[in-house]
Amino acid sequence: MAAEAAGAASAELVIGWCIFGLLLLAILAFCWIYVRKYQSQRESEVVSTITAIFSLAIALITSALLPVDIFLVSYMKNQNGTFKDWANANVSRQIEDTVLYGYYTLYSVILFCVFLWIPFVYFYYEEKDDDDTGKCTQIKTALKYTLGFVVICALLLLIGSLICKPILSRTENSKLFLKGRYAFVPLNVPNNKNSTEWEKVKFLFEELGSSHGLAALSFSISSLTLIGMLAAITYTAYGMSALPLNLIKGTRSAAYERLENTEDIEEVEQHIQTIKSKSKDGRPLSVRDKRTLKQLEERLRALKKRERHLEFIENSWWTKLCGALRPLKIIWGIFFILVALLFVISLFLSNLDKALHSAGVDSGFIIFGANLSNPLNMLLPLLQTVFPLDYILITIIIMYFIFTSMAGIRNIGIWFFWIRLYKIRRGRTRPQALLFLCMILLLIVLHTSYMIYSLAPQYVMYGSQNYLIESNVTYDDHKGNSTLSVPKRCDADAPEDQCTVTRTYLFLHKFWFFSAAYYFGNWAFLGVFLIGLVVSCCKGKKSVIEGVDEDDSDISDDEPSVYSA
């Protein structure tokens, strides 16, 4: 019997992990195409390309583990609320540990990328821009700056390890303990005055290796997710409105823009001739005329550069193809704006439910049961019963967030406060900008897991699990009562031994103050989306070569992009 149970459990694991493996290959192919699409062919570097592809792939693979986690905990139970024959305590623990180790590995790699690999490669290529710098100097300087990121990572892990004692608070209307939620409580370090410093350090590592390693890693990842939330508010919320409206409105005609540009060139040339005519009789130009002449000549060079790009775009096969596919773009734009409205409505209802029915800010706005249903919270548990339909929907949601985030980054650019650092252009993005881009997308994808929880909290916590509750039934004929066990959907009020919480939930919601910050961040996300929707509606059509007429180091006359349209 035990062998049959182990075999059944292994079969369930194989099904989930095979789908995950196929998706992993698809993710690697997508990341390679995506990074190659945006990197500059003139300044491409092998190391920065590999770093960008790997870091983005790791984030997507981590998100792909979410539906596997939900699938495995859901498959341990029947729809009538009973556990399957093979799902005993040992097998359940084995399945949970397998997913947990997967998260340990992927999140550790993410920390390595964010705090060591990406910073080192970025600062290495920053130093490489200086022609007088040797490779040894580049490596030393890059290591010096990277050391600061390593110190930050160590501090986050240390703080997370010190947050070790769970808060077991009980609400008046619920039987559930808030299991695994932590606050700032120091480790109970032995008060033995004779203990050496090495014994104290050894004790700390033993604590990290037992139960506090999860807390330390969770705190570090939650900190990155919080930064990802800020990036999502800045870029994704705006991109959700900018992307569909840009598809619907399209770009200006290349032929019409070229005609306008030719008129501007003629006008500037006429002004230049007028100023130069003042010095025909040998008189020197005034300081004001010299300054004006210099500005006009710079303007003329920019217009001629623009003319070359417009001519290239007008005659390219890509422009003709885009013109033929214009009706399809409009359809996609309408579809994307409908999806955006679906997300916004679902997020609003979920946040409103937390505001009205949650346990409060000190619990991270946890909800005991769903009081206000939203479309995605109803749809995902239904799809989860037919694997891999929920996998497909989760993949669509993540890809949608990536494309809208990319649209927001392309429209806004990468800024440091009021200083614009980089522009992101197809086929023209420098190695440093590419690393910045993938770092931002990595953080946004990390936040996507919590965003999905905000949209469908019951799905992320328990999937399609049910549990049995006792219900009294009255029979009129016999005038008696009987007790009947009926299935009920698992929620935060369910008994701990009847419903298995996903490992994803334990990682993302171990600290109430992060959950509270995410809650307020969701309101900010909704506000920025509405502002972006108004701005996108008021803006006119984009230029077919938007950004070429500006002083952009990422754009070269020798490197016109056929994809600018």
Side-chain angles (χ1 to χ4, degrees):
M1 196 71 180
E4 292 179 0
S10 299
E12 306 300 338
L13 283 171
V14 168
I15 293 174
W17 290 112
C18 282
I19 299 294
F20 178 76
L22 293 175
L23 193 59
L24 187 148
L25 296 176
I27 286 172
L28 291 175
F30 167 80
C31 292
W32 184 83
I33 295 172
Y34 201 78
V35 170
R36 293 288 295 173
K37 173 184 175 182
Y38 280 94
Q39 74 173 163
S40 172
Q41 303 302 320
R42 181 169 54 91
E43 298 183 74
S44 63
E45 298 286 350
V46 175
V47 176
S48 65
T49 302
I50 294 174
T51 303
I53 292 173
F54 182 80
S55 59
L56 184 56
I58 284 296
L60 292 175
I61 291 169
T62 305
S63 296
L65 199 55
L66 169 63
V68 173
D69 187 10
I70 296 168
F71 165 75
L72 293 175
V73 298
S74 299
Y75 247 60
M76 290 190 290
K77 302 200 72 175
N78 297 307
Q79 289 302 307
N80 60 6
T82 61
F83 281 96
K84 294 184 178 180
D85 295 335
W86 52 265
N88 55 48
N90 292 332
V91 174
S92 300
R93 175 59 61 184
Q94 175 191 354
I95 293 175
E96 293 170 16
D97 288 345
T98 302
V99 178
L100 187 62
Y101 295 151
Y103 275 118
Y104 267 127
T105 303
L106 292 173
Y107 281 143
S108 298
V109 174
I110 286 176
L111 290 180
F112 171 76
C113 290
V114 172
F115 291 105
L116 183 62
W117 191 1
I118 295 178
F120 175 79
V121 176
Y122 175 83
F123 289 117
Y124 176 82
Y125 283 108
E126 278 290 291
E127 289 297 313
K128 192 175 181 180
D129 290 342
D130 189 354
D131 296 333
D132 298 332
T133 305
K135 284 192 176 294
C136 291
T137 305
Q138 291 174 225
I139 294 174
K140 289 179 181 179
T141 306
L143 286 174
K144 180 178 66 175
Y145 290 119
T146 305
L147 183 61
F149 287 85
V150 175
V151 170
I152 293 174
C153 181
L155 289 175
L156 290 176
L157 290 172
L158 182 60
I159 294 173
S161 67
L162 297 178
I163 309 174
C164 63
K165 186 177 292 185
I167 301 173
L168 300 179
S169 60
R170 186 193 295 270
T171 64
E172 295 179 358
N173 301 323
S174 174
K175 296 181 292 182
L176 174 76
F177 287 104
L178 299 182
K179 302 176 289 294
R181 309 189 71 79
Y182 290 74
F184 286 100
V185 181
L187 290 171
N188 295 321
V189 181
N191 294 323
N192 186 5
K193 295 181 179 180
N194 297 325
S195 60
T196 63
E197 292 299 322
W198 167 247
E199 290 175 343
K200 293 179 181 179
V201 172
K202 183 179 178 181
F203 172 80
L204 178 61
F205 275 96
E206 288 175 351
E207 290 291 303
L208 287 173
S210 57
S211 60
H212 306 304
L214 175 63
L217 187 58
S218 177
F219 183 85
S220 303
I221 293 297
S222 297
S223 301
L224 294 181
T225 305
L226 194 63
I227 301 174
M229 180 192 74
L230 299 177
I233 293 172
T234 305
Y235 295 113
T236 311
Y238 176 70
M240 285 176 63
S241 59
L243 176 62
L245 290 178
N246 286 340
L247 288 173
I248 294 172
K249 290 187 294 186
T251 57
R252 300 177 64 191
S253 169
Y256 183 75
E257 283 197 69
R258 190 178 177 189
L259 179 62
E260 285 185 337
N261 194 74
T262 302
E263 294 175 354
D264 291 340
I265 289 175
E266 293 175 353
E267 183 180 352
V268 172
E269 287 178 341
Q270 185 177 359
H271 287 162
I272 290 175
Q273 290 299 325
T274 301
I275 294 176
K276 287 183 175 180
S277 64
K278 295 180 181 181
S279 61
K280 283 186 178 180
D281 56 356
R283 290 181 301 171
L285 294 174
S286 64
V287 175
R288 180 180 178 182
D289 286 338
K290 288 181 180 178
R291 184 170 61 249
T292 304
L293 180 61
K294 183 179 179 180
Q295 293 173 351
L296 289 173
E297 288 175 344
E298 291 176 354
R299 173 66 175 161
L300 182 61
R301 282 194 296 270
L303 288 172
K304 288 183 176 180
K305 175 183 177 181
R306 181 180 176 86
E307 175 71 17
R308 290 191 295 272
H309 281 269
L310 284 170
E311 182 180 2
F312 178 82
I313 292 296
E314 185 180 7
N315 298 325
S316 70
W317 61 269
W318 179 256
T319 304
K320 295 179 175 61
L321 180 62
C322 288
L325 297 177
R326 182 81 186 99
L328 187 60
K329 283 188 174 184
I330 295 175
I331 294 173
W332 274 111
I334 295 173
F335 171 74
F336 281 149
I337 198 67
L338 291 177
V339 172
L341 292 176
L342 173 65
F343 284 169
V344 168
I345 292 172
S346 298
L347 188 61
F348 174 76
L349 290 175
S350 178
N351 252 31
L352 184 62
D353 193 13
K354 291 179 181 179
L356 297 176
H357 306 109
S358 71
V361 64
D362 58 347
S363 70
F365 293 97
I366 190 172
I367 299 178
F368 300 103
N371 301 282
L372 295 177
S373 296
N374 66 71
L376 285 175
N377 196 31
M378 294 185 293
L379 181 61
L380 279 169
L382 290 176
L383 295 180
Q384 200 275 332
T385 58
V386 185
F387 191 82
L389 292 183
D390 66 322
Y391 226 136
I392 296 173
L393 183 57
I394 291 294
T395 302
I396 292 173
I397 291 174
I398 293 173
M399 290 296 102
Y400 179 78
F401 274 111
I402 284 199
F403 288 132
T404 53
S405 301
M406 195 65 240
I409 295 172
R410 287 191 64 193
N411 281 273
I412 298 174
I414 299 175
W415 294 72
F416 181 74
F417 293 104
W418 59 88
I419 303 173
R420 188 169 196 168
L421 299 178
Y422 301 106
K423 290 182 181 180
I424 305 299
R425 294 291 183 266
R426 292 174 181 169
R428 299 183 182 129
T429 307
R430 298 176 59 192
Q432 296 95 322
L434 194 66
L435 292 171
F436 249 110
L437 168 65
C438 288
M439 173 77 86
I440 293 173
L441 290 177
L442 184 153
L443 296 174
I444 290 175
V445 171
L446 274 182
H447 178 65
T448 301
S449 296
Y450 182 82
M451 185 66 74
I452 295 173
Y453 167 76
S454 298
L455 296 170
Q458 183 178 344
Y459 167 79
V460 173
M461 287 181 69
Y462 298 105
S464 60
Q465 293 181 81
N466 294 321
Y467 70 101
L468 296 176
I469 59 172
E470 301 295 330
S471 177
N472 293 324
V473 179
T474 302
Y475 298 98
D476 295 334
D477 296 341
H478 302 286
K479 296 182 180 180
N481 297 330
S482 65
T483 302
L484 182 66
S485 297
V486 295
K488 180 185 177 182
R489 184 74 72 183
C490 288
D491 54 27
D493 202 19
E496 183 179 1
D497 60 342
Q498 291 295 316
C499 295
T500 305
V501 180
T502 60
R503 304 301 95 182
T504 301
Y505 180 80
L506 293 182
F507 259 106
L508 294 179
H509 304 84
K510 215 165 186 57
F511 309 100
W512 65 265
F513 41 85
F514 282 120
S515 298
Y518 299 149
Y519 165 79
F520 292 111
N522 286 341
W523 286 118
F525 186 93
L526 294 173
V528 172
F529 169 79
L530 294 176
I531 295 173
L533 186 63
V534 173
V535 171
S536 299
C537 289
C538 295
K539 289 177 67 175
K541 291 183 178 182
K542 292 198 307 180
S543 170
V544 72
I545 52 169
E546 184 177 9
V548 170
D549 56 337
E550 301 175 11
D551 184 17
D552 189 355
S553 60
D554 292 345
I555 296 174
S556 169
D557 290 335
D558 300 329
E559 191 187 350
S561 176
V562 72
Y563 302 108
S564 295

